[in-house]
Amino acid sequence: DQNWDPGVPETEEDDEMEGFGMSRFIPFRNKIKTTFEIQFGINNLNKKSVGNGLSDPDIYTPASWYWEFGLLTKNRLGGKTSKVALSYGFTYLINRFSIDNDLRVDILNDQPFFINVEDTKKNPKLNVGYLTVPVAFDFKLSKRFQFSIGGFAGYRVHTVQKLETKSGYERINEERSANYLLNNWIYGAKVSLGVRGFNIIGRYCFSNLFRENNNYDFNTFMIGTAIRI
């Protein structure tokens, strides 16, 4: 199947010029394609451990979303009929957690912990943003099916907690920003299965949401899809 195009399509003119000039010595000529990708879906936490007597955040999945915006470059590996490509790029990833039991993150004795928020009108939100570098191998299984497997790594650049409370007739919107001892680094694995142009993406972070601590061992996981422009 030669309809799959992980790179810039090769034209008849390109074939005619294959034997002339320096172009034939460029390994990825006519094999590279760059796209803008928007990835989105739900995210939650795999809670490996919670310290004794500590509050445990209850993440409300339907309101806990992730978004990722990035530029991805795809290089076809091999000749014109190759079904394999290497993709990589730069993205901005946002994880938003909606906490159903009205908790927010705080720091005590150089340890992270969750405390109760009084008189909440909506679920407290924890937003964490990362600059990431994804890398993956893409496989064309057939005309209808594609498969991708790879990983990602990044650095935390944004952390905000959004709180909406009520006091009498007043509604109070509050934003709190700090590092909250969250892990500066993120890394994990991702897989994607595409069916007739629609893809399902699964991602898992091997890095702890927080820096090394005695209270919480949480790993973020995501399930979503993507649109490429």
Side-chain angles (χ1 to χ4, degrees):
D1 175 21
Q2 296 188 25
N3 294 326
W4 183 46
D5 182 17
V8 176
E10 298 191 15
T11 65
E12 207 171 286
E13 182 181 1
D14 293 330
D15 293 336
E16 293 175 357
M17 296 183 64
E18 182 66 28
F20 297 93
M22 294 296 295
S23 61
R24 58 178 173 173
F25 300 106
I26 302 175
F28 292 112
R29 188 178 72 87
N30 295 323
K31 297 182 180 181
I32 300 174
K33 183 178 181 180
T34 299
T35 59
F36 179 73
E37 181 178 89
I38 301 173
Q39 192 177 133
F40 58 93
I42 57 174
N43 55 199
N44 208 315
L45 296 174
N46 177 26
K47 303 172 185 178
K48 292 183 179 178
S49 65
V50 177
N52 292 331
L54 296 177
S55 296
D56 181 6
D58 184 9
I59 305 301
Y60 182 57
T61 303
S64 298
W65 286 75
Y66 82 92
W67 293 85
E68 185 176 56
F69 307 90
L71 288 174
L72 297 180
T73 296
K74 184 177 288 187
N75 291 335
R76 185 176 63 238
L77 302 179
K80 296 179 183 180
T81 60
S82 174
K83 310 285 188 182
V84 183
L86 175 67
S87 62
Y88 52 89
F90 295 95
T91 70
Y92 181 60
L93 170 66
I94 305 169
N95 291 118
R96 184 183 79 165
F97 303 100
S98 176
I99 304 176
D100 206 22
N101 51 344
D102 298 337
L103 301 178
R104 71 172 181 85
V105 188
D106 207 340
I107 300 173
L108 179 64
N109 298 326
D110 291 326
Q111 296 288 315
F113 70 105
F114 287 85
I115 63 173
N116 188 58
V117 180
E118 300 291 341
D119 301 320
T120 58
K121 185 173 178 62
K122 293 183 178 180
N123 288 354
K125 307 291 193 308
L126 172 62
N127 298 333
V128 189
Y130 305 90
L131 291 177
T132 73
V133 177
V135 179
F137 288 99
D138 302 325
F139 302 89
K140 175 76 171 181
L141 304 180
S142 69
K143 289 183 179 181
R144 298 180 178 179
F145 299 99
Q146 299 85 38
F147 177 73
S148 176
I149 185 169
F152 59 94
Y155 188 80
R156 181 176 56 84
V157 295
H158 174 80
T159 307
V160 171
Q161 296 188 88
K162 295 186 177 183
L163 311 172
E164 186 173 333
T165 58
K166 55 185 177 180
S167 177
Y169 61 87
E170 291 183 311
R171 185 173 65 182
I172 304 170
N173 292 303
E174 181 181 4
E175 289 191 1
R176 292 172 174 258
S177 180
N179 63 45
Y180 299 109
L181 297 180
L182 267 67
N183 198 340
N184 286 332
W185 298 96
I186 184 175
Y187 55 89
K190 65 175 183 176
V191 294
S192 173
L193 178 63
V195 181
R196 293 185 175 181
F198 176 80
N199 60 339
I200 300 175
I201 302 167
R203 303 172 63 160
Y204 187 84
C205 296
F206 299 126
S207 52
N208 192 341
L209 178 64
F210 294 96
R211 301 175 193 174
E212 185 174 350
N213 70 96
N214 300 319
N215 293 347
Y216 302 102
D217 187 0
F218 293 167
N219 298 93
T220 303
F221 64 90
M222 297 160 259
I223 300 174
T225 187
I227 299 173
R228 289 188 176 181
I229 302 174

